[in-house]
Amino acid sequence: MSACGTSTSEWEEFRASAEALEDGRLVADHDMVFEDEAELYAYWEEMSFGSPLAEDEVGAARQPLTQSTPGGVPEVWEFPQSMRLTYCVEDDFGSREATLLAALDRAAGFWSQRVGVRFERVDLTDCGTDSDEVVFNVQRHTGVAYNAIAFFPDDPRSQRVVGVADSAFTTSSGGRDLVGILAHELGHVLGFRHEHIWTACTGEGPADATALTSYDPNSVMHYPSCRPPGSASGYRLTELDYEGAIQVYGLAPALIGLVT
Ligand SMILES: [Zn+2]
């Protein structure tokens, strides 16, 4: 292949950058998870040969908080499950465990302080992907290129893992920090898709996604590298993130009655 100056070796390079999960799925381009190599190739092809927006369209592109809606059906945690999203943390984080737990609390708090969702950590002696008594488990990933990965609400228990790599504790790429990375991943857990799918910045397109709000390049679900110049850095929830999430999950219980 040579179209657009792209070659087979560039595919091989991208393929080599993908990490294999224990169940055979592949992770590439930060936290994108692919079922198999064919799906990864389709993503790369779209990224390489798709039609990116003309430069003057970029600033006008819609980048709202975006919900995963496979087949038009919203992927969402129904009440009361949405108020009790339980998880356990595997015991292999070593000396970083306290840092991780504090960051998980802050990241979860970003969502639950205003949105009708609640994450609840459960102490299990043998936390793992086979821990059926919790909704998901948090697992250490080593020797991988991504900082963290997550899942969507409709995924089976075997895939409901938030993987946190060692790099997540130290990276400052794009203004990222551990709390922000976890807030972004918990956004996926709540059913929110990447914001930049509306801009053709990566190979991820808007299929099976629905926009909830108006333009917001600073969304917590938007890769920093895909934002227009002058945007915020890192991952923090914006007013529009809250607006979109509240549309789906309602207000945090503590706020009901306070808003007139
Ligand atoms: Zn992501």
Side-chain angles (χ1 to χ4, degrees), residues 114 246 251-260:
R114 292 179 59 182
I246 288 167
L251 276 173
L255 298 178
I256 295 173
L258 297 178
V259 178
T260 56

Side-chain angles (χ1 to χ4, degrees), residues 96-118:
R96 284 177 160 154
E97 184 177 285
T99 303
L100 176 68
L101 299 187
L104 279 165
D105 287 345
R106 278 193 67 200
F110 284 159
W111 291 101
S112 60
Q113 67 186 350
R114 292 179 59 182
V115 183
V117 295
R118 200 163 71 85

Side-chain angles (χ1 to χ4, degrees), residues 5 26 30 48 72 74-75 78 99 102 109 166 172 208 245 251 254 258:
L26 298 164
H30 299 290
S48 304
E75 243 187 309
E78 300 290 348
T99 303
D166 292 353
S172 59
D208 294 329
L251 276 173
L258 297 178

Side-chain angles (χ1 to χ4, degrees), residues 35-228:
E35 287 300 317
D36 51 30
E37 187 164 320
E39 204 175 86
L40 179 73
Y41 185 81
Y43 177 89
W44 173 81
E45 205 173 33
E46 177 66 29
M47 186 166 62
S48 304
F49 305 113
S51 48
L53 295 174
E55 200 167 324
D56 62 355
E57 287 180 289
V58 172
R62 299 184 66 222
Q63 297 171 286
L65 184 62
T66 302
Q67 186 176 29
S68 178
T69 52
V73 180
E75 243 187 309
V76 63
W77 298 103
E78 300 290 348
F79 181 85
Q81 180 77 79
S82 53
M83 289 302 293
R84 193 162 184 269
L85 297 169
T86 53
Y87 67 94
C88 61
V89 176
E90 296 189 21
D91 63 5
D92 53 356
F93 286 95
S95 62
R96 284 177 160 154
E97 184 177 285
T99 303
L100 176 68
L101 299 187
L104 279 165
D105 287 345
R106 278 193 67 200
F110 284 159
W111 291 101
S112 60
Q113 67 186 350
R114 292 179 59 182
V115 183
V117 295
R118 200 163 71 85
F119 293 92
E120 180 182 323
R121 185 163 54 247
V122 178
D123 281 327
L124 297 180
T125 47
D126 195 17
C127 173
T129 306
D130 55 0
S131 300
D132 291 329
E133 57 270 66
V134 288
V135 173
F136 65 97
N137 52 301
V138 179
Q139 188 173 70
R140 182 185 178 195
H141 288 187
T142 56
V144 293
Y146 53 85
N147 294 314
I149 56 167
F151 59 91
F152 289 111
D154 288 355
D155 287 339
R157 177 66 188 89
S158 61
Q159 295 180 2
R160 292 205 300 262
V161 176
V162 171
V164 182
D166 292 353
S167 61
F169 291 84
T170 55
T171 186
S172 59
S173 167
R176 287 174 175 82
D177 62 4
L178 179 63
V179 171
I181 289 167
L182 294 172
H184 173 100
E185 299 305 334
L186 292 180
H188 287 313
V189 171
L190 293 173
F192 301 121
R193 293 275 303 274
H194 286 142
E195 297 305 306
H196 48 267
I197 59 177
W198 306 102
T199 70
C201 174
T202 69
E204 186 182 6
D208 294 329
T210 300
L212 294 168
T213 65
S214 60
Y215 179 74
D216 181 13
N218 296 327
S219 168
V220 70
M221 301 311 295
H222 197 297
Y223 281 172
S225 56
C226 289
R227 290 175 183 147

Side-chain angles (χ1 to χ4, degrees), residues 223-248:
Y223 281 172
S225 56
C226 289
R227 290 175 183 147
S231 302
S233 62
Y235 289 134
R236 286 295 183 271
L237 275 78
T238 65
E239 282 303 313
L240 286 174
D241 286 333
Y242 283 121
E243 189 183 301
I246 288 167
Q247 276 182 46
V248 176

